[in-house]
Every structure is written in C-alpha cells, then in structure tokens.
Amino acid sequence: MTEQEQIQSYFETEPIPEHIRERMEECRRKHMTVPSERLIKRPSQIEGIRESSKINTGVLDEVAAKIHEGMSTQEIDDIVVEYTHSHGAICAPYHFEGYPKSVCTSINDEVCHGIPARHRKLRDGDIINVDVSTIYKGYYSDASRMFMIGEVSEERRRLVEETKKCLDIGAAAAKPWGTVGDIGYAISKYAHSKGYSVVRELGGHGVGIEFHEDPFVSHVGKAHTGMVLVPGMIFTIEPMINAGRAGVTIDPYNEWTIYTEDGKDSAQWEHTFLMTENGVEILTY
C-alpha cells in the first residue's frame, strides 16, 4: 500500500465521531458552509501531521540558529534541504508547480515566494520571511517566521512585531464551530487600527493530506461568515501585512515573487493549527 493509499484508508476505518457529525448536520440545516468529511482529519492522520510538523518546526529552529548578516538566501535553502533530508522528509516547495527551490525567502518589500539565490545577501537592517513546508511519510506541514537582520529600523521592527500580533489575534478568533470569516475580521480590524493594510489576494489554507486544501483562510473578512471551523480541521493562518497600501504585484521575470505594489515593506508569520473541541492547537510555528 502506498502512503497516499494508507492515508485514504483512514477516512474509511476511522469515522467522524457521531456528535461531530450531528453538529455538522445542524450547521447545514442553518445553511452554513460546512467542510467536506475529507477535511476532517482522523486521529491517525493527525498524528502523522504532528510528526511532519515536528520536523518543520525543527527546520525553522535550525534557520534561526544560523541566519546572519552577509549570508546568501541560497545558504538558507541549503540549511533547509540538509535538515529536512537528514530527518527522512521532503521539502514540499521543491518543483511544486514549477517552483525552483526548497524554501521561500522574502525580504523587505517581497510579500512572499522570494526565490533563494547565491547573489542575494542579507544586509544589515533587512527583515526576511522564511517559509518552510515539509512532507513526511505523505503528510504536509507549513509555517514561516520573520527574522530581523542586524540593526533594524523602528518602523521595520514594529511591522514585524505587529504582524505577529495579527497572527495571534487571528488564532484567538478561531473557535470550534465558529467561521473562517471570524479570523479575517479579527486580523484586519487590528491591522487597520495600527495603520497597516492586509494583503487580500493571498491567505492561509487547509493542509495535511495535500499542500493546499480548503478552506482558503482570508485575512480580511466578515465575522460569522465562511466555512464552519469543525474540530479535526487543520489549517494555516499566515497574515501578510503591508506598511503601505494593500496592493501587490508579481515579478514578471520569475513569475513567483510577490512584491508590494508601492515598494513599502511587508511582513508575514505563519503557523499551522489543529482545531479541537477546546480551541486551536499549534502544530508547527
């Protein structure tokens, strides 16, 4: 049996608990958007995703220990590849839809999907997002962190710190039997109150069996709308917060890297969460 066949078998051998199924049906009768049963992870699947998440967190810890001024973003890619492979795992971004590297390294006005390169060196005052995704025994995990290089300006430091607060506020808003819209509403309300804008085109997502699953987790939204957050769902929250306007543009040459349209800085933090009957649990950070 292949890894994917084994993962699929859990849907058949580990049914959704009856009280969860009944509550989902109640939500359907209220015309709420309810996730498919495939999005409700079974206990064995959750344990597999936990193991992948441990490696993913370890990768970011390794980067945190070694990142420094003067190193190239390709060196970060090398660290990610070495750690991931040494733990029997795979770097999920590598060749995903043609992406050429194993990690995303996004600096200053790069919102996301920055491509590592030997010539791109970290300079004093830079802020960088390192986005790591791991496959272990067929299970996916995903997280990113911001790093501040050398003496960072107060404006950049504040952006990094307030973006982390946006993530924490979004996580606090994610309640069992709440909705995805609650997350986006909480994040955007806070970000706007601090004078920042929120990227709309990109967001969080379900994860675990595939790299990107439903639901799309927007970081702007209306409370009490969108898909119901059912215990057993696993998803990322990863707000991209801009110092200037919310507009973004894509690099016309590599067709991957997303920049702020006005050239001002952007920051992002990402965790993967498991929704439980008592609230969210962080799986990787």
Side-chain angles (χ1 to χ4, degrees):
M1 181 182 293
T2 67
E3 287 178 349
Q4 286 302 315
E5 288 173 336
Q6 182 177 2
I7 290 169
Q8 178 63 35
S9 73
Y10 294 139
F11 289 115
E12 301 165 0
T13 59
E14 299 181 30
I16 294 173
E18 191 59 32
H19 70 285
I20 298 291
R21 191 185 298 275
E22 290 174 357
R23 185 74 179 271
M24 290 171 67
E25 187 56 39
E26 287 179 16
C27 292
R28 287 192 187 93
R29 288 196 294 269
K30 294 177 181 177
H31 306 290
M32 302 174 76
T33 303
V34 178
S36 68
E37 292 196 2
R38 182 175 175 79
L39 296 182
I40 312 302
K41 304 302 190 287
R42 309 314 199 259
S44 296
Q45 294 172 326
I46 291 170
E47 288 311 305
I49 298 166
R50 282 189 199 281
E51 291 304 308
S52 177
S53 295
K54 289 177 184 177
I55 297 171
N56 200 75
T57 298
V59 174
L60 282 167
D61 287 343
E62 188 77 356
V63 171
K66 295 182 176 180
I67 197 167
H68 63 271
E69 180 183 348
M71 76 186 304
S72 71
T73 52
Q74 180 58 50
E75 289 176 81
I76 296 173
D77 190 271
D78 294 341
I79 291 167
V80 169
V81 170
E82 181 179 356
Y83 187 98
T84 302
H85 290 181
S86 70
H87 287 76
I90 299 168
C91 300
Y94 186 62
H95 285 179
F96 176 76
E97 296 184 351
Y99 186 76
K101 296 292 182 174
S102 297
V103 64
C104 297
T105 52
S106 305
I107 302 172
N108 300 337
D109 66 331
E110 296 174 345
V111 177
C112 62
H113 303 161
I115 300 175
R118 291 284 177 204
H119 69 270
R120 191 71 189 274
K121 307 287 187 178
L122 296 183
R123 300 180 299 180
D124 181 53
D126 281 342
I127 57 173
I128 177 173
N129 177 267
V130 178
D131 192 346
V132 173
S133 307
T134 301
I135 311 170
Y136 182 66
K137 296 184 178 179
Y139 292 104
Y140 290 78
S141 51
D142 193 5
S144 77
R145 298 181 196 170
M146 293 296 300
F147 298 97
M148 295 183 281
I149 307 302
E151 294 295 323
V152 174
S153 69
E154 181 57 31
E155 291 78 11
R156 284 181 169 172
R157 181 178 301 279
R158 179 173 173 266
L159 175 63
V160 169
E161 292 173 351
E162 294 290 6
T163 301
K164 178 57 165 61
K165 289 181 184 177
C166 284
L167 170 58
D168 294 340
I169 286 168
K175 305 291 186 184
W177 307 105
T179 67
V180 169
D182 299 337
I183 299 171
Y185 173 77
I187 289 172
S188 59
K189 181 180 178 181
Y190 182 79
H192 293 156
S193 76
K194 297 299 179 178
Y196 298 122
S197 63
V198 184
V199 175
R200 294 172 173 266
E201 292 86 348
L202 302 147
H205 52 88
V207 68
I209 308 305
E210 299 176 14
F211 198 166
H212 298 109
E213 306 172 9
D214 287 335
F216 174 72
V217 181
S218 177
H219 303 117
V220 297
K222 183 178 179 181
H224 314 306
T225 64
M227 186 176 286
V228 177
L229 298 170
V230 177
M233 293 175 70
I234 294 179
F235 54 90
T236 72
I237 302 175
E238 46 184 295
M240 286 152 268
I241 307 299
N242 292 352
R245 296 190 299 272
V248 297
T249 184
I250 190 167
D251 189 305
Y253 300 103
N254 67 40
E255 298 183 336
W256 274 104
T257 306
I258 306 293
Y259 296 88
T260 58
E261 199 168 52
D262 60 10
K264 294 188 177 180
D265 293 327
S266 185
Q268 178 192 17
W269 291 84
E270 176 185 13
H271 293 170
T272 293
F273 298 93
L274 165 66
M275 179 57 73
T276 76
E277 295 190 64
N278 298 313
V280 291
E281 174 190 339
I282 300 172
L283 296 184
T284 188
Y285 54 89

